Amino acid sequence: MMPGSFIPLVCIWATCGVYGLTGTHNIPPSLRNSQQTLFIHTLNTSDSCGRRRRVSSLGLWSSSLDDDLVQLPVDPVRGNYIRKVKDCVFSHVYPTPFTSDVRLIAVSEDVLENLLDLDISVADTKDFLQFVSGGKSLSGFPPLAHRYGGHQFGVWAGQLGDGRAHLVATYINRYGERWELQLKGSGKTPYSRTGDGRAVLRSSVREFLCSEAMHYLGIPTSRAASLVVSDDAVWRDQFYNGNVKKERGAVVLRVAKSWFRIGSLEILTNSGEFHLLRELLDFIIEQHFPAIIQTDPNRVLVFFNTVVSQTADMIARWMSVGFAHGVCNTDNFSLLSITIDYGPFGFMENYDAGYVPNTSDDQGRYGIGNQANAGMYNLNKLLVALKPLMDNRQKQIASHILAGFPDLYYQRFTELFRAKLGFVGAREEDLMLIVSFLNMMEDTKADFTMSFRQLSEITDHQLKSPSIPEELWALHEIGRRKDFPAWVTAYLQRLRRNPDDSEAKRRQRMKTTNPRYILRNWMAESAVRKAEMNDFSEVHLLQKILQRPFQVQKMADLAGYSQRPPKWSKDLKVSCSS
Ligand code: AMP
Ligand code: MG
């Protein structure tokens, strides 16, 4: 039952080759990042048991910002003009307010309330709108743009940096989690190069929806707190064909534990700033890798090892939901191995290991089946960046660690796909069953998401019947394959080997692993088209539906989100233009 032709498929998938909103900004800096800050905070925002309450005033909230990042060197040059920056990690630069009215389109209640301790009512305030659109900053936290570099499409691109993003706050929430808030699309910085510092509505809607959707799919990702649109004109040649069009500027408030990327370290090594490289790495380890002991002489190695395994995990998870990032450059790969910088991403529909979401990626460098290779390439660049901090023995060990990436990735990939098929524990035949299922999917051009989902929904009895019911449309297509019944027999036999399992348990388990709703390109496109006409209803609908991607939702089914993609969606394209 295991034709040799299945092997290359596994290989493709699994080998690697200012203003103070309240008066608290007058607090001397020595009191800010200290116990006293907490005291001030406690005074205003705790209940009688000392638990932190949510606040509905941004001013009050801004009194408890954390300013640890500013320990890192900041560019002494303050002007907002494009330049090559040296010997620092950040530049102080304020967002550029829009000149037209701004409108709040959407917020994430979960991000505001559970990550940032803000009451959702804050979103109704003028302060909030001004803050999240880059109109006003919190005086306790002068905004920062980060200096980083990167390898783009295999070539060292030199200084890149936050060319249209501003880090506008860092906050430690009631669970002790540290969150960095960043505006994207908020104006030029010293890193803008030839760009205008803006982001358009379509790409901002996509980032807002997708980063939240990924979170609810259980994939490590940055989050999106809010989305605003302005009437300021932003000119874009969407498909690089000379057709420049007027679009509208929008801003997403993005939230992550850290925005440091592989490129954050690369630029320091590349420009010989080894002292700063060590300082930044120590800072990142101290803040984000608490398991690593600062005095451990091998801490750089342990750090590298952690990033390697977490990156393998992140990419395997992307694959498990058919997500293609689109631009896997080193400047878009987080050191915390979370998905960041959503651009021309896409969720694969019909199964195709060569799926490339980004129409600007002519060579298919970042095709879905090549993401693990891209990850390995990026980790190698991280290793190069870290080498000045390692002795020869450590460099050798690091090379071994990197060489272990394909195995780590492959293991994670297999674990995730085992779970997708409902297997408990590991058995020899699992890989063959996974690969054969994917192979049949590829041959029949069946939908990746719905094939797995419908396999979760179908009963054993239906599965054994000569033809799969038509309403299970993706599986129905696979079911027409001659070798499908043999696969089903082997599959059901394997399921029977699950310890302490039943059909009901199996279906239940698989339904929490295989999503029914993902952000398909056509869904995002439809929401964008309406948003461009000031109808944000579909943005809201998608935001709501994608918070529960594993649960059957009537509204979603009525909207066609679990149906075959509409014909018009076949010609949709996404480019790097954003
Ligand atoms: P991205 O493709 O969004 O990951 O961006 C790559 C680099 O280009 C980063 O340094 C961005 O900050 C910068 N960039 C992208 N778009 C713009 C823009 N419209 N204005 C200024 N910088 C930009
Ligand atoms: Mg980027």
Side-chain angles (χ1 to χ4, degrees):
M1 163 85 205
M2 175 140 173
S5 64
F6 290 153
I7 299 299
L9 190 62
V10 174
C11 295
I12 291 165
W13 274 67
T15 67
C16 288
V18 191
Y19 78 147
L21 291 164
T22 64
T24 45
H25 58 286
N26 294 324
I27 298 163
S30 57
L31 292 190
R32 272 192 262 121
N33 183 31
S34 68
Q35 287 303 315
Q36 278 92 337
T37 309
L38 210 60
F39 177 58
I40 291 159
H41 194 112
T42 309
L43 261 186
N44 294 321
T45 62
S46 295
D47 63 17
S48 56
C49 302
R51 279 185 306 252
R52 221 184 266 191
R53 272 190 272 124
R54 291 192 180 111
V55 292
S56 49
S57 142
L58 207 53
L60 198 55
W61 182 79
S62 69
S63 71
S64 49
L65 296 184
D66 168 71
D67 59 2
D68 262 11
L69 277 178
V70 200
Q71 287 171 23
L72 293 166
V74 177
D75 186 5
V77 182
R78 289 297 157 101
N80 188 2
Y81 59 93
I82 289 139
R83 59 182 177 271
K84 190 152 186 197
V85 179
K86 284 276 287 177
D87 301 315
C88 68
V89 177
F90 291 109
S91 297
H92 272 308
V93 57
Y94 283 92
T96 306
F98 287 115
T99 54
S100 60
D101 283 346
V102 285
R103 175 171 176 178
L104 185 65
I105 297 177
V107 291
S108 162
E109 190 171 334
D110 184 43
V111 173
L112 293 185
E113 297 213 325
N114 299 324
L115 270 50
L116 303 180
D117 300 332
L118 283 163
D119 191 274
I120 186 70
S121 62
V122 77
D124 298 329
T125 66
K126 201 172 158 205
D127 279 348
F128 183 80
L129 182 61
Q130 289 183 315
F131 174 59
V132 300
S133 58
K136 284 185 178 171
S137 302
L138 309 173
S139 62
F141 195 102
L144 300 165
H146 174 41
R147 171 190 174 218
Y148 59 82
H151 279 84
Q152 299 190 315
F153 291 86
V155 178
W156 173 245
Q159 176 179 297
L160 297 166
D162 290 332
R164 52 171 168 172
H166 296 81
L167 205 143
V168 288
T170 307
Y171 177 74
I172 300 177
N173 74 9
R174 64 184 127 163
Y175 309 110
E177 297 163 347
R178 208 177 147 281
W179 291 102
E180 294 180 3
L181 288 74
Q182 191 188 70
L183 299 178
K184 178 171 173 183
S186 40
K188 284 191 191 175
T189 77
Y191 308 98
S192 297
R193 297 176 296 150
T194 54
D196 59 6
R198 292 299 182 198
V200 293
L201 180 59
R202 64 184 150 78
S203 64
S204 306
V205 165
R206 282 169 51 88
E207 171 145 14
F208 179 86
L209 288 176
C210 194
S211 54
E212 285 298 282
M214 290 284 271
H215 166 72
Y216 290 104
L217 286 169
I219 295 171
T221 178
S222 61
R223 303 288 304 272
S226 64
L227 168 64
V228 295
V229 66
S230 72
D231 278 328
D232 280 28
V234 174
W235 297 89
R236 289 286 182 274
D237 181 354
Q238 191 180 348
F239 296 111
Y240 304 108
N241 57 6
N243 191 8
V244 179
K245 273 202 191 141
K246 187 164 115 177
E247 301 191 46
R248 280 187 289 168
V251 172
V252 174
L253 174 61
R254 323 192 285 183
V255 178
K257 288 196 171 153
S258 166
W259 289 100
F260 289 126
R261 304 128 195 277
I262 292 180
S264 306
L265 299 173
E266 277 184 292
I267 195 156
L268 302 179
T269 302
N270 205 274
S271 52
E273 296 169 48
F274 303 133
H275 183 74
L276 189 48
L277 174 70
R278 181 171 292 282
E279 187 178 342
L280 178 59
L281 186 68
D282 282 348
F283 179 88
I284 292 170
I285 291 177
E286 191 187 322
Q287 291 247 341
H288 302 291
F289 295 79
I292 304 178
I293 302 160
Q294 284 289 342
T295 53
D296 181 346
N298 288 320
R299 71 184 186 289
V300 181
L301 264 185
V302 184
F303 167 78
F304 183 63
N305 189 41
T306 312
V307 182
V308 168
S309 66
Q310 289 181 350
T311 301
D313 175 67
M314 176 185 75
I315 299 175
R317 285 177 193 261
W318 287 356
M319 303 302 273
S320 74
V321 293
F323 175 79
H325 179 284
V327 195
C328 298
N329 293 332
T330 56
D331 52 306
N332 290 336
F333 257 49
S334 148
L335 289 174
L336 268 52
S337 310
I338 57 173
T339 316
I340 55 168
D341 283 17
Y342 289 83
F345 64 83
F347 283 89
M348 176 177 63
E349 296 195 325
N350 60 295
Y351 176 82
D352 172 11
Y355 167 64
V356 181
N358 174 7
T359 44
S360 321
D361 181 3
D362 305 330
Q363 315 275 311
R365 180 181 175 95
Y366 298 136
I368 193 162
N370 212 28
Q371 294 188 115
N373 284 318
M376 176 109 172
Y377 176 92
N378 291 348
L379 290 165
N380 184 42
K381 294 300 173 197
L382 173 62
L383 174 55
V384 172
L386 292 172
K387 275 188 176 166
L389 307 180
M390 294 179 188
D391 61 28
N392 283 341
R393 188 191 59 93
Q394 290 170 328
K395 284 178 200 165
Q396 261 184 5
I397 299 175
S399 297
H400 282 297
I401 292 172
L402 182 62
F405 175 82
D407 276 351
L408 283 174
Y409 168 74
Y410 184 65
Q411 249 174 39
R412 221 28 217 124
F413 178 97
T414 315
E415 270 167 31
L416 290 164
F417 276 78
R418 266 197 188 107
K420 283 177 81 67
L421 283 182
F423 301 157
V424 179
R427 296 193 68 91
E428 222 178 290
E429 64 268 35
D430 295 354
L431 189 59
M432 180 268 290
L433 286 161
I434 295 167
V435 174
S436 335
F437 190 58
L438 292 176
N439 203 32
M440 289 189 293
M441 212 183 278
E442 185 171 50
D443 280 357
T444 52
K445 297 204 182 327
D447 187 85
F448 174 78
T449 303
M450 287 312 276
S451 296
F452 277 105
R453 177 68 192 194
Q454 290 168 356
L455 197 61
S456 322
E457 292 171 348
I458 199 167
T459 63
D460 290 1
H461 178 72
Q462 283 174 315
L463 202 49
K464 280 186 283 192
S465 69
S467 97
I468 304 286
E470 256 188 66
E471 64 268 22
L472 301 176
W473 52 273
L475 211 50
H476 176 81
E477 278 163 26
I478 301 177
R480 291 209 302 248
R481 285 256 319 202
K482 260 208 223 112
D483 46 359
F484 185 69
W487 182 85
V488 168
T489 306
Y491 176 61
L492 291 174
Q493 238 166 41
R494 168 62 182 90
L495 287 176
R496 277 197 289 278
R497 295 195 176 118
N498 281 344
D500 187 28
D501 204 15
S502 66
E503 182 188 334
K505 279 196 205 167
R506 185 261 313 162
R507 290 170 62 205
Q508 188 46 36
R509 194 173 55 246
M510 286 175 71
K511 280 191 263 182
T512 61
T513 305
N514 294 307
R516 186 170 168 95
Y517 312 110
I518 49 157
L519 183 63
R520 292 170 187 272
N521 233 357
W522 72 267
M523 289 156 59
E525 177 67 18
S526 170
V528 164
R529 284 183 192 173
K530 285 189 182 145
E532 280 172 346
M533 317 272 284
N534 288 323
D535 171 359
F536 303 109
S537 57
E538 205 157 328
V539 173
H540 297 145
L541 177 66
L542 282 172
Q543 187 192 1
K544 193 163 166 239
I545 302 291
L546 296 171
Q547 284 168 359
R548 292 186 297 137
F550 301 101
Q551 283 174 34
V552 177
Q553 297 171 63
K554 249 202 183 128
M555 288 280 278
D557 290 346
L558 283 174
Y561 296 160
S562 55
Q563 291 307 312
R564 283 190 178 85
K567 288 223 166 67
W568 62 265
S569 73
K570 287 277 170 254
D571 301 324
L572 280 178
K573 290 180 187 161
V574 271
S575 75
C576 273
S577 152
S578 59

